[in-house]
Structure formats: C-alpha cells, structure tokens
Amino acid sequence: MGAAPSTPRGGARPQHAAENLMAAFVGEKPYPLSSDFWSQLLEVPLTLQWPQDRVLQACQLFAQHNYHTNHLAKILIHLAWCLQDLISTSSGSATAYRKSVNAAYISSVFLKFIIENAKGANFEELHLNLDKDEKRQCNLPTDQSIEVFIIRGMLSFVGSSDVSPRSCLLHHELLNLMLVAMSTQLCSGPSPGPKDVHPFIDAAMLQESAVVASTVRKLLLNFITRPRFPFDGSTYPFSPEGNQSGVLQRVGSVAANFVLLPYYTFNYLLSSSSAGARSPLAEKSLLVLLVLVHYRKCHVVKSLTDNNLGDVDSTTYLRESSSFYENPYCKALENARDIEFDRVDIEGNAHNGPLVRLPFASLFDTLGLCLSDETSVLLLYSLVHGNSDFLEYVLVRTDLDTLLMPILETLYNASRRTSNQIYMLLIILLILSQDSSFNASIHKLMLPSVPWYEERLLHHTSLGSLMVIVLIRTVKYNLSKLRDIYLHTNCLAILANMAPHVHRLSAYASQRLVSLFDMLSRKYTKLAELKNDKVIKVSADQMEGVSLTEDMSPEIHIYTDFLRIVLEILNAILTYALPRNPEVVYAILHRQELFQPFKNHPRFNELLENIYTVLDFFNSRMDMQHMDGEWSVDKVLQVIIINSRSWHGDGMKMFTQLKFTYEQESHPEEFFIPYVWQLVLAQGFNFSPHAINLLPVELSGDDALSGEQSV
C-alpha cells in the first residue's frame, strides 16, 4: 500500500496480496465495477494491519486519483450490492458478511479523509458518478443518483435485518459509515442555507416512507434492546499481538491505521463489555437517529430580486426568507405508536403510509436508565415535544419517578453538566408540567429516601416536593454561577405550572420556596439601590443620566418579573390548595417580615394583599391561643392545621392561573444541528478540527501543529 501501486497477483501470500490490492485501490488505474478486483479486495482476511504513515499516504493517493478512477463510488456500490444479497437470502454466508464489513470499513476511512480535506463546499472530490454505459451494464438505475442508491442499500439493511452475533459487527460498521457520510454537515456553517451540499444525508431524506419507517424503528429498537457484542474467537478471528499499536488509531485526526477489522472497535467494545448496560451499538444507533431526525434541508422561498432590499443584509434576508423541506425521519418519530395499544382516531387524523410501532413501556424504562447520557436526554425531548402519543403515555404512568429521579439528580449536579443538557431537562419538565394530572400525580408519589441529595436527609418526601427543592436549587446555582435569564424563567415557569396542584408540600420545600423570594428580593433591592445611587451621582454632576438609568432598568425589570412570578406561585398555593399545605403557611408566617418592603410596591401590592389576608387570619388565630410556655414548631403547625379547616378564602382575590407552555424558537435547527454533532464528537467520533465550521472547537497543540503542516 505504497506510492507505487501494483496490479493484484494471484497466488501471493495474504499480506502481499492485500498490499497489492490496496495499492491498486488507491492507484491511478480505474477498475470497472464488473472487475474481479472488487471481489478480491473485499475478501482480504480480517487480521492484517498497516502502520499509520502508510495509511495517510494511501489516503492522499486515493484522493488524488479518485477523480479519474471513481473508486469511492464503486466500492460503495459494491457495498450496496453485498447488502442486497444479505437481505435477499435468509441466512447470508460468512463471506458475504466479511465482504460487507470490509466494504463499509474501507469506505469510511477514505470517505472521511476526503470530506475532511475537501477544498470546496460542494464536495466535488467525492466524484460520486459513473457514466451511463457502465451504469447500464451493471443494472444500476440511470435515473437515480449513486448516493441515493447507496444510502437506500444501507438503510434497507439496517431497517430490515435483525442484530445477531453474526451481524452485529456489520451493523456497527454501517452505522459508523453513515455518521462519516453525514459528517459533511460539520464543514458547513451553523445556519443551514439553500446552497449547502450534503450528498448522503440529502439522499437519506429522499428514501421511500417504508425504508424511513423501518430505519427509525430499528434504530430505536437497538437503543431499547442494547445488543451486546459476542467476544469469541470463532466469531471474530482477531487477537492483537504483543505491543503493536491499535489498528485504528488516528493520524493527526486526518486518517487512521488501516485494517479490515477495526481494532479500535474491538478494543472499545471489549473494554466496555463490563460496563453493565452500556452498548456501543445502541449508542451508535441513537446518534444516527438524532442526526437524521434533526436535519433540515433549506430552500429559498423567494429570490433577492423580488424585493427592494436596500441596505438589508443578504445573510439576514436569506435566513428570514428561507424555508425547510419536511424531514421524513422527524415525521416518523412524531407518528410512532405504542405496539401494545391501538389508539382510535376520533379526530380524522389517520396516518398515511407505514407506521412506526414501538414498545413504549420498554422505551420508557430504557430512557429512565440512560438519562445520565446527553443523547438519551435529547431523544426524550424529541419524543415528549414531537410525539403526542408518547407524551400521553408518559403522563399516565404511575411510576413517574423512573424518569424524574434521574432528571432531578442531573439538575442537582448541574455544575458537572453542560448548559445544553440542563436546558433540555428543564424543557422536558416544563412540557410535562403543562399537564394538570402530572402535577397532581407527583405529589402523591412518595420517595422513601433521596440518597444523592447531600445537603440534608430527605426521608418520606413526595416527588413533587423534591422537584420544588431541586428547581429552586437550580435557580440559586444559576444566580451565582451562570446568570442565565432563560434558565431562571424555565425553572419559575415549571413551579408556576405546579403551584395550583401542590399537595402537602414538605417543610423543607416550603422553606426553600420562601427563601427563593428572599434571594430574588435581595438581588432586586441591590439593583434598585445601585440605580438610585447612579441617578444621584449624575444629578450632582449635572450630567445627562438617561443612558445610565436605562442601562440598569432592563435587569431591574427582569427581577421584578421574577418576583411577581414567585408571588403568583405563593398566591396559587394559598388560593387553591391552602388547607392541603400547612407547611407553606408556616413558612410564610415564619418569614413574614420579608414581604413588608414590597407591600406598597405598585407591581406587587395586589399579589401581597392575598398573602397578608392569610397572614392576618392565622396571626389572629395565634393571638387567640393561650399558651403555657414558648411556641414550638409543632404547636404552631397544630394551630395552622386546625384553623385551615375553617379557612374559606374570604377576602382573597382570584387571579388568573399562570400557565406556561413551551414553544420552540423560530429557527430551532440553528441550535439542534450543531448540538447533535457536538454529541457525536463527544462520543468519540474524531474529525479534523480545522475542517469543522458547524460549531466552535478548541485546538490542542498537536492539532494546531498538524494544521500548520498540512498541505
């Protein structure tokens, strides 16, 4: 596999034969699709390896000659043919599996190198074309692009073939090849444009509905069933010798050692075999699914010449005037149905075409086990936001702690999580909290203990109380560290949705709720004082003070809104659920001095009227008690509980209940496409940092050096 390609020779030893075959593959002589060369190349034994420098040299030679040989297109076509043979036969031969694995792996190595080193945005270096005569001779559809034919072959196999000990390596390599093929997105900017070229993922969007449905179903089943790889010599005839370097180690991040059984896969799978529920095939399946589901193909609705643009920025105009084709994979996920339940279509919304049927119970349980992983969080978001049937299924489950406990634990450990993961989890909770039955159910589900909560022991706490505690803790963490307004807003929105349905909120949760008002009020007071100081100083200097006060006013307005929401949360509990929440009444009585500074504030006075109605009622009842000795917590609570029975809400003003709903931003693809690929990269998908334009990347010293030396 060197600089001087030679023709394959019969009768040579395996190592030499493989050298000759690979040299011919990367060389300048084109081999027709019908040549025996392809069969020989794809039957090379699985145990051979080459050093890194020769792999890089081979990739460079291949890229130089591919424009003439079209060998990338040809090996991918042979892969599609091999997969067709496996689909058409009930039990494929070992040779057919080996040829398919080899074709998938060889393709991924050289395809990735070309994508990373593409000079233009159109990826012309791929040369995915053949002349019509050769297509006709080989019975290829002449009216269909090669990439559509190839992607159809891969998706059809993945969607129709069960994962077995014999086929699991092929499934894994096909999923890896699909990620490589779709990685052209990494080379584009964060905002999809009508001129973006992504040959393979665009081809995936053009597949028939039956292929799309079977692919989505199988990828989700892989995630649910979490197939394990068998590690026995009879299945995979490979064992590393001595201290040889790994067979697939990256060269700078551009290329890799080449062998037909990727040792990195073997090593990775072997090392993770003891990791309990971890399944590399499940992880790869989920990544491919997320890339497919969140892709958006852009097209321009109207041209620039149709409008008198004047000084309007062309990039802004294109963004606002663009639209997106419907994503069939997203649609299939949204229309997925429970395999155990046929929902009667009473609204006339019958689904046309193949339906994705899934075991929702198993999917729910698997998500509960895997929510520490960001990819699983994104899948859960995609389901509860897009699939009304799955959302309804979640809401009627009696064991909501299966999902909520890992979500709350992750929020509790927010400092060790990414901001995107925290956002996704809060949005999931916001979507769930829009349902009144959910808000009622979480207060009925009691938790014997919460072992991961370290600040204090939580025994026999309701799931709803724990949710209040963790959300308030998240607000406090955000206030001190992140200072993100949207995170505050989401947390308070969830609490507001929960408030009218609160039932027997725990003492600790009630204290935290009042302390939340204290914390936000102190922040508000500090900002107000700072604003007043600036106004006074400006007046003393006889300068214009408008700009200074305006600079400060937006933040004051934000905290005014936050305080109003907290007061509305307290109002909703006191108005709709006071008899069921004596601990909330106690917490307000205990810290009633907190509300005094805001009693006459024009934005808060009407909300505080209700709180003072409650305070006056229970303070008067306390004064009527003839106590021997000091008041204790238990005695005060007893008075509150007794008098709550006679509480009728006289004098309370009824406010419209706050109801917060989640809506996606107008251009969600600008967040989700980079986010999905960020997750792909985080899961070990190596890609040259210098080729990535989709999202910001940090260059290590080695990456910077290799970038300076690259041709």
Side-chain angles (χ1 to χ4, degrees), residues 329-581:
Y329 299 86
C330 179
K331 207 69 181 172
L333 187 68
E334 291 175 352
N335 290 325
R337 299 289 183 266
D338 190 359
I339 201 168
E340 297 177 3
F341 177 70
D342 280 316
R343 183 177 180 177
V344 178
D345 179 39
I346 59 175
E347 299 177 355
N349 297 324
H351 178 72
N352 294 323
L355 200 62
V356 176
R357 303 301 297 266
L358 295 165
F360 277 6
S362 300
L363 180 56
F364 179 93
D365 292 339
T366 304
L367 284 165
L369 292 171
C370 300
L371 284 179
S372 59
D373 177 50
E374 274 193 79
T375 53
S376 298
V377 172
L378 183 52
L379 175 61
L380 177 57
Y381 163 81
S382 303
L383 287 165
V384 298
H385 174 255
N387 189 312
S388 57
D389 276 46
F390 186 77
L391 175 60
E392 184 177 322
Y393 176 83
V394 170
L395 293 172
V396 300
R397 287 281 294 229
T398 57
D399 58 342
L400 283 168
D401 54 316
T402 301
L403 284 185
L404 291 189
M405 286 299 280
I407 289 176
L408 296 177
E409 183 178 2
T410 303
L411 291 175
Y412 178 78
N413 295 307
S415 61
R416 299 198 290 270
R417 303 295 182 178
T418 67
S419 57
N420 285 339
Q421 186 174 6
I422 301 304
Y423 276 130
M424 288 291 100
L425 291 172
L426 289 175
I427 291 169
I428 289 167
L429 292 180
L430 179 57
I431 293 171
L432 296 176
S433 73
Q434 293 168 194
D435 183 81
S436 57
S437 65
F438 167 84
N439 295 320
S441 298
I442 56 177
H443 290 284
K444 297 174 184 175
L445 204 160
M446 302 304 295
L447 306 169
S449 65
V450 187
W452 44 262
Y453 195 89
E454 297 177 353
E455 277 81 350
R456 63 183 295 161
L457 293 175
L458 297 178
H459 288 307
H460 203 61
T461 299
S462 71
L463 184 58
S465 293
L466 179 62
M467 194 161 155
V468 169
I469 292 166
V470 172
L471 286 170
I472 293 172
R473 189 179 185 276
T474 304
V475 171
K476 290 190 172 184
Y477 167 74
N478 179 57
L479 191 64
S480 62
K481 301 291 184 183
L482 302 177
R483 301 182 182 178
D484 189 313
I485 293 170
Y486 294 104
L487 193 148
H488 276 330
T489 304
N490 283 333
C491 289
L492 295 176
I494 298 164
L495 291 169
N497 286 346
M498 293 169 61
H501 311 279
V502 167
H503 183 81
R504 299 195 66 80
L505 197 67
S506 71
Y508 184 52
S510 301
Q511 294 163 19
R512 294 289 84 200
L513 191 55
V514 174
S515 73
L516 175 61
F517 179 84
D518 180 27
M519 178 187 64
L520 292 173
S521 65
R522 281 188 281 112
K523 179 70 174 176
Y524 170 85
T525 302
K526 184 177 179 181
L527 288 170
E529 290 173 352
L530 186 60
K531 175 186 175 183
N532 290 334
D533 287 345
K534 285 192 173 186
V535 172
I536 292 170
K537 287 178 182 178
V538 169
S539 299
D541 294 336
Q542 295 183 342
M543 293 171 58
E544 292 293 330
V546 176
S547 61
L548 289 173
T549 56
E550 286 182 350
D551 286 344
M552 187 60 61
S553 61
E555 197 170 3
I556 290 179
H557 286 318
I558 289 166
Y559 277 91
T560 303
D561 290 340
F562 287 162
L563 281 172
R564 272 194 64 88
I565 293 174
V566 175
L567 288 174
E568 295 209 47
I569 290 168
L570 293 172
N571 262 269
I573 296 173
L574 297 176
T575 304
Y576 298 101
L578 186 147
R580 304 194 302 271
N581 292 284

